[in-house]
Structure formats: structure tokens, C-alpha cells
Amino acid sequence: MSLFWRIFSLNSAALVVAAALLLGPVTVSTPVLLGEALVVGAGLAVLLVANALVLRVGLAPLQRLGRSMATADLLRPGARAVVAGPAETAGLITTYNTMLDRLESERAGSAARALSAQERERHRIARELHDEVGQTLTAVLLQLKRVADRVPAELREEVGQAQDATRAGLDEIRRIARKLRPGVLDELGLVSALRSLAGEFTGHGLTVRYDLTGELPPLDAGTELVLYRVAQEALTNTARHSGADRAALRLRVLPDAVELTVRDNGRGPGTGPEGAGIAGMRERALLVGADLTLTPGSDGRGTVVGLRIRVGETEDSVGGARAPACESSGPAHPPRPDGVPR
């Protein structure tokens, strides 16, 4: 029964009973006697309680819908309000759930287009930094070397300082280019890229241990990029904000999924709002239908970032064997300036 008919039926029954009493033998004395006042009061109380119960039962689904709307987050898809209550309320909840489905689909599509454009722009900038700025600095470095061989002795120290500054700038340009677009991911695969990433973050008080075990199933380029970017952002947050001195990067193969875990011994995720970095990780996880979790460590310390991507049991159509994963308990070797791991 709809909410309208529930309330209308109850009020109609109360009015019919009141009219029947007025037309019947029941009368109210003047002044009102105590017994008559008790009967009228009891009838009024019953009517009020019955109305309250009907409204409470009828409006409870709307209250649940309001809480669901207040806590809805498109970066955490799948949560839906329970369809219950009268016909009008159930129809409203169903419409809201349908709207969430459409919004999540549209957001995933727009995020995919935005991130795809972002990666293309990263690739272009990284290529220009490497090809244009990097080659220019290399030429300057060679010219300074020729100049250093011919300048007077009293100027050689200054020329040497210019060489050191140019060499440092060239290394920085290459480091930025690697962060913008990991060439090792395209050339050597995901495992080597993650091993190189661990090496980049090892140092300055932070040691990153990695555990990359198992034969990876066939993964498309987009999925590998999501895994790499989530690991990169998680380690960046660890290095910048957690105050940790140890971190662990783990990639393991499950029967129907690939799971990435980044764990540290820092301050933990805290209770504040999530920043842009975590929001970016959640958006990337949505692109491949992955589950991203952000929880404190088992002992209450540190942060654990988990990404689980479901994969199908398909054969690698490329035909090339993947590089075997490795396991290590020590710091990774940092890459050379050209992006190839040592």
C-alpha cells in the first residue's frame, strides 16, 4: 500500500469512528466528567500513536535514502540504497540508484578520457625534455669540456663548477622525464619498472624493500600503467608525508587477480580528508575495475595501500615470454640516467 493510502485510511477510520460516536448514544456532559475526559484522552492518544507509527514506518526508507545520498562517493562505486517502503518511496529509491549507475558510468568515461589525455601529454613533455632539453645540455657539457682543456689554470675551477651544474641539470631533466613517462615500463615491463621505482625512492632516510613474485598473467598496457602509477603515488605519499623510514612494495599473483600492496611504518592515514593523490589513485582504479583500499597497518602503525585487479584466465596473445619476477629483501638498484636499471 502506498504512503498516501496508509495515512488516508487511518485518518478516515478515525473520522468515521468519531462521527459514529457523535451520532450514537455517547454524549459528553457539561461540565465534562472525569470518566468522559479519560475516554476522550485515550482515544486521542490512540489516534496520535497510530499516526506516528504509520509515518515512522512509511518515512523510514526516506531517512535511509537521505543517509545514503549524504555518504555517496563516486570514487567508491557500488554502494546503493535498499529499495523498500511504499510504492512512491520505492520508486524514488530505484530512480536514485539508476541515477548513481549513470553518474558512475559517465564519471568513469570522463576520467578515462582525462587520464588518457594526461598520459599523452606526459609522454610528449617527457620526449621533448629528453630529446630537446637533454640533448642541448649534453652539447653544452661537451663544449664546456673542450673549453676546460684550453682555458688558463686560474679559470679551470669555475669551468669545472659550470660542468658540474650542467651535469646536475641534465640528471634532473632525465629524472623528471622518467617520472613523467616511465620508459622502463614500455621497454622492460611492469616488474622491472616497479623494481626501478623502488630504487628511486630508496635513500634519504627511506628504504624500500620489494617482493615481486609469480608469473604475471597477460596484462594490457593500460592495466600495467595503472599498477605503476598507483605504486608511484603511494610511495610518493610515503616519502613526503608519512615520516616512515621503511616501506615495502609487493606484487603477487592470485588465482583470479593481481594484487599490489604498498606498506610503510609511518604515521598512518589519519582521519582528515583525502588529498588529490589518493583521489587520483581511486580514479585510476576505477578505469580498470579494480578495488583500492587504504587502511592502517595491522599493528595500528603505518599505512597499507592495496590494489586488486581482477584478470581473466587468458593466454598472452603477444607470444613473448614475460620477464620472471624476482624477490628481494634489500634496497633496489637505482636506474641509470638513461632510464635503464643497473
Side-chain angles (χ1 to χ4, degrees), residues 84 88 99 139 142 145 200-201 213 221 266 274 283:
E88 299 94 333
M99 181 191 68
L142 293 174
K145 185 178 183 304
E200 291 180 12
F201 283 92
T213 60
E274 295 182 349
E283 287 189 349

Side-chain angles (χ1 to χ4, degrees), residues 25-99:
V26 179
T27 58
V28 179
S29 303
T30 304
V32 180
L33 300 178
L34 179 60
E36 296 173 344
L38 292 176
V39 170
V40 173
L44 179 61
V46 170
L47 180 61
L48 293 176
V49 169
N51 270 285
L53 289 176
V54 170
L55 291 175
R56 172 67 68 180
V57 173
L59 297 179
L62 290 178
Q63 294 175 345
R64 291 195 296 269
L65 176 61
R67 290 193 295 269
S68 178
M69 296 174 69
T71 58
D73 187 355
L74 295 181
L75 292 179
R76 296 178 176 87
R80 296 292 182 269
V82 178
V83 179
E88 299 94 333
T89 306
L92 178 62
I93 297 174
T94 301
T95 302
Y96 168 72
N97 289 341
T98 303
M99 181 191 68

Side-chain angles (χ1 to χ4, degrees), residues 15-306:
L15 291 176
V16 168
V17 171
L21 292 176
L22 290 176
L23 296 176
V26 179
T27 58
V28 179
S29 303
T30 304
V32 180
L33 300 178
L34 179 60
E36 296 173 344
L38 292 176
V39 170
V40 173
L44 179 61
V46 170
L47 180 61
L48 293 176
V49 169
N51 270 285
L53 289 176
V54 170
L55 291 175
R56 172 67 68 180
V57 173
L59 297 179
L62 290 178
Q63 294 175 345
R64 291 195 296 269
L65 176 61
R67 290 193 295 269
S68 178
M69 296 174 69
T71 58
D73 187 355
L74 295 181
L75 292 179
R76 296 178 176 87
R80 296 292 182 269
V82 178
V83 179
E88 299 94 333
T89 306
L92 178 62
I93 297 174
T94 301
T95 302
Y96 168 72
N97 289 341
T98 303
M99 181 191 68
L100 274 185
D101 293 336
R102 185 177 68 252
L103 288 177
E104 289 179 359
S105 176
E106 292 175 354
R107 182 184 178 89
S110 62
R113 291 189 294 272
L115 290 175
S116 177
Q118 182 186 84
E119 289 296 334
R120 288 196 300 271
E121 188 66 11
R122 282 171 177 251
H123 197 187
R124 183 187 66 81
I125 295 175
R127 186 175 60 249
E128 291 185 359
L129 284 174
H130 183 273
D131 295 344
E132 302 295 334
V133 182
Q135 291 181 5
T136 300
L137 289 178
T138 301
V140 171
L141 194 60
L142 293 174
Q143 291 174 1
L144 286 173
K145 185 178 183 304
R146 288 195 296 269
V147 171
D149 296 334
R150 295 195 298 266
V151 298
E154 61 271 14
L155 296 178
R156 287 180 182 175
E157 183 179 355
E158 295 182 6
V159 175
Q161 292 175 355
Q163 285 179 295
D164 293 339
T166 304
R167 191 176 294 109
L170 181 59
D171 292 341
E172 183 66 14
I173 288 294
R174 287 170 172 169
R175 185 189 65 82
I176 294 173
R178 284 198 308 271
K179 290 189 67 175
L180 286 172
R181 182 68 183 183
V184 65
L185 179 62
D186 299 328
E187 297 168 4
L188 301 179
L190 179 62
V191 172
S192 295
L194 292 177
R195 191 186 307 120
S196 175
L197 183 67
E200 291 180 12
F201 283 92
T202 295
H204 304 289
L206 178 64
T207 299
V208 181
R209 302 159 66 93
Y210 59 91
D211 179 3
L212 312 174
T213 60
E215 185 79 11
L216 286 179
L219 300 174
D220 57 60
T223 301
E224 289 189 345
L225 186 60
V226 167
L227 285 164
Y228 180 87
R229 290 298 188 196
V230 169
Q232 184 182 47
E233 184 61 39
L235 288 175
T236 299
N237 289 340
T238 297
R240 290 181 178 176
H241 309 299
S242 71
D245 59 1
R246 294 192 309 275
L249 174 63
R250 182 182 185 186
L251 181 68
R252 61 173 181 163
V253 179
L254 303 176
D256 59 346
V258 173
E259 185 179 65
L260 173 74
T261 306
V262 180
R263 185 189 309 269
D264 64 57
N265 64 342
R267 287 187 291 267
T271 58
E274 295 182 349
I278 297 176
M281 287 193 291
R282 294 194 183 280
E283 287 189 349
R284 290 185 182 277
L286 289 178
L287 295 182
V288 293
D291 299 322
L292 181 77
T293 57
L294 183 71
T295 58
S298 57
D299 56 354
R301 296 186 55 199
T303 304
V304 180
V305 177

